[in-house]
Amino acid sequence: MVTIDEGLRGLIPPLTAEELAGLRASLERDGCRDALCLWGDVLLDGHHRHALCTELGLPFRTTQVEGLETRADAEEWVIRHQFGR
């Protein structure tokens, strides 16, 4: 089970319509190649992929992010991982 935390999701910039269309096309063509990152059952990374895979009925993998003790740790992890994009 994947839980969406609206506060954490709000830290992630939305995709443009063009980026979203490109991601959709990639998922339809290749499937979801990268695992979604979870903290427990809370989604930290892969919100756009999760939404599209759910909509399209595509399977996806998950992986646990280790070493996060608090919500503040989870927020910091999300923010740090968004800087690379």
Side-chain angles (χ1 to χ4, degrees):
M1 178 176 158
V2 174
T3 300
I4 305 299
D5 180 296
E6 293 301 327
L8 293 174
R9 184 170 76 172
L11 297 173
I12 299 166
L15 297 179
T16 65
E18 185 175 287
E19 290 169 329
L20 193 58
L23 179 56
R24 176 186 294 274
S26 172
L27 290 170
E28 289 175 330
R29 182 183 60 245
D30 303 324
C32 189
R33 296 176 299 175
D34 297 320
L36 309 181
C37 297
L38 302 178
W39 174 48
D41 66 345
V42 177
L43 187 59
L44 296 179
D45 184 59
H47 287 82
H48 299 106
R49 286 178 285 135
H50 178 264
L52 288 170
C53 285
T54 300
E55 177 186 326
L56 298 169
L58 298 173
F60 55 85
R61 295 175 295 111
T62 63
T63 187
Q64 284 292 317
V65 175
E66 303 295 332
L68 304 179
E69 301 284 325
T70 66
R71 179 181 176 84
D73 293 339
E75 290 171 350
E76 182 180 331
W77 188 95
V78 171
I79 292 167
R80 276 196 336 261
H81 284 81
Q82 289 305 305
F83 280 131
R85 299 184 176 154

